[in-house]
Amino acid sequence: MPVPLFDTTTALEPLRERIDAAIAEVVAARRFILGPSVAAFEEELARYCGTRHAVGVANGTDAITIALRSMGVGPGDDVIVPSFTFYATAEAVPATGARPVFCDVDPDTYCITAETVAAALTPATKAVVAVHLFGNLAPVAAIEALGVPVLEDAAQAAGTRSAAGRAGALGRAATFSFFPSKNLGCFGDGGAITTDDDAVAEQARMLRFHGSHDKVTYEHVGYNSRLDELQAAILRVQLPSLDSWSDGRRAAARHYEQAGLGELVSLPVAGDGCEPAWHLYVVRSERVDELAAGLPKHAIGCKSYYRLPVHRQPAMRAFAGGVQLPVTDAVASTHLALPMSPVLSAAQAAEVVAAVRAVLG
Ligand SMILES: *Cc1c(COP(=O)(O)O)cnc(C)c1O
């Protein structure tokens, strides 16, 4: 039986009728922008995360730009970001006028650490974007102890929890993406900012609507970046399932461990005190090219997502300078995502592990 890299349909099937009804309700009400569904979803997402505020925006990339600007980041500032992440994390920084400064990651968690951030601090550092990569958790408190505010990029970490709280409730502010393949995905583009900080939330609400409070006076050059009513209505139906889907992702990781995957490749290591809602299950191997070529022959989906890390991307050349990120380069050339979803069964995990064993011989 083929095992796909991810499965975004099976877990949604039981919700299909309620999603269709929610869409029909929005269409009947003919209120599509900043109406009751967005307001209700914002309240429910904030309650879920354990924050005072959630602000819906158009996508996870805008969420980062708007959150950074709401935290006071602008021209002349530096923002520390990982290079081993989706490109958008860094791309969102120049959009504020600030400069991205790249830092390295931990080889086991794939996330930034207080040490890698400390090595990248400059006198102009105004904020750090801590990416909770693949659903793992970056050590937000340890990074904030360096004296810089943290914006969590929780695009891949909806459903991840820790002793200190959920992803999205740990830094000055946090951002989510509801791109369809994320842990909590809508039927198009969507995003949100969560925060306990009243001023950050108010700025974000203003910036997402052209820099205006009241649609009469325009105080900032802002954005047209709203989560829309249809997407919010779809997300409202799904949010109550996020914890059980996350449990499914955690169970899938345990299935891999129990099937002996750790004897064949290096497994991802959960951050301190963290229970990751694994968005992607990313292993490491020196023989990653053989695996990437061989697994599809066994009908097993796999993908190396960030082969060319962000600091080596053409558009980031002006910001990367001569920065040396040895762990990022090593992880970029040895990582491989194996199938992961809320419904990945023990039998499927065993099939993946058998295929990995067959390829590696
Ligand atoms: C998906 C993603 C984003 C961007 O989200 P969009 O909704 O696609 O704009 C940002 N950061 C990370 C880590 C992501 O995975």
Side-chain angles (χ1 to χ4, degrees):
M1 279 270 284
V3 185
L5 184 57
F6 50 83
D7 176 347
T8 53
T9 48
T10 307
L12 277 183
E13 271 316 308
L15 302 179
R16 264 300 290 278
E17 274 180 32
R18 289 176 50 209
I19 289 174
D20 288 346
I23 292 170
E25 245 178 74
V26 173
V27 172
R30 309 206 62 75
R31 181 94 190 268
F32 296 112
I33 302 292
L34 295 184
S37 295
V38 170
F41 175 68
E42 288 177 338
E43 222 181 284
E44 289 156 7
L45 180 66
R47 195 177 318 132
Y48 175 85
C49 290
T51 56
R52 286 171 55 80
H53 308 279
V55 180
V57 295
N59 56 68
T61 309
D62 282 4
I64 299 171
T65 300
I66 291 173
L68 286 173
R69 278 190 63 186
S70 300
M71 290 164 62
V73 170
D77 295 331
D78 285 351
V79 175
I80 295 177
V81 295
S83 169
F84 191 65
T85 178
F86 179 50
Y87 175 70
T89 306
E91 181 189 33
V93 175
T96 68
R99 181 178 76 123
V101 173
F102 295 99
C103 73
D104 220 339
V105 291
D106 179 89
D108 299 320
T109 66
Y110 314 134
C111 291
I112 66 172
T113 68
E115 290 72 32
T116 66
V117 170
L121 282 172
T122 69
T125 303
K126 188 75 176 261
V128 176
V129 182
V131 180
H132 298 317
L133 199 68
F134 305 141
N136 210 344
L137 210 59
V140 175
I143 295 167
E144 287 205 319
L146 297 170
V148 279
V150 166
L151 174 66
E152 303 172 70
D153 178 349
Q156 300 185 3
T160 293
R161 58 189 184 212
S162 75
R166 289 189 187 277
L170 305 174
R172 172 73 59 86
T175 59
F176 289 92
S177 164
F178 306 123
F179 185 82
S181 65
K182 305 282 164 122
N183 291 1
L184 179 64
C186 60
F187 291 4
D189 278 308
I193 297 160
T194 52
T195 183
D196 272 335
D197 187 316
D198 298 349
V200 168
E202 185 176 319
Q203 280 295 113
R205 282 184 199 286
M206 201 179 349
L207 286 173
R208 77 172 168 184
F209 194 95
H210 306 287
S212 175
H213 273 304
D214 55 5
K215 311 181 185 180
V216 176
T217 312
Y218 296 87
E219 293 167 48
H220 300 281
V221 174
Y223 309 88
N224 176 358
S225 183
R226 281 104 41 160
L227 182 67
D228 69 65
E229 285 286 298
L230 280 169
Q231 302 305 339
I234 291 163
L235 288 164
R236 288 191 70 199
V237 177
Q238 294 185 51
L239 184 59
S241 299
L242 180 57
D243 276 340
S244 67
W245 292 342
S246 302
D247 286 341
R249 292 175 182 278
R250 288 185 271 268
R254 282 196 300 277
H255 295 326
Y256 278 135
E257 288 168 25
Q258 284 157 9
L261 184 61
E263 298 153 21
L264 305 167
V265 294
S266 304
L267 304 184
V269 175
D272 270 347
C274 152
E275 296 176 273
W278 297 109
H279 172 58
L280 297 170
Y281 196 75
V282 176
V283 301
R284 287 183 66 194
S285 168
E286 292 305 322
R287 298 171 65 190
V288 72
D289 292 333
E290 288 166 70
L291 276 174
L295 288 177
K297 294 177 188 152
H298 294 260
I300 305 296
C302 66
K303 185 171 172 178
S304 294
Y305 277 83
Y306 310 129
R307 268 301 169 93
L308 190 65
V310 180
H311 75 290
R312 297 190 179 282
Q313 295 291 344
M316 290 292 141
R317 221 168 268 148
F319 304 112
V323 68
Q324 297 294 315
L325 304 173
V327 178
T328 293
D329 287 333
V331 175
S333 63
T334 56
H335 77 287
L336 188 70
L338 297 179
M340 170 54 70
S341 82
V343 294
L344 189 97
S345 68
Q348 287 177 306
E351 235 172 288
V352 173
V353 174
V356 170
R357 188 170 275 122
V359 171
L360 295 182

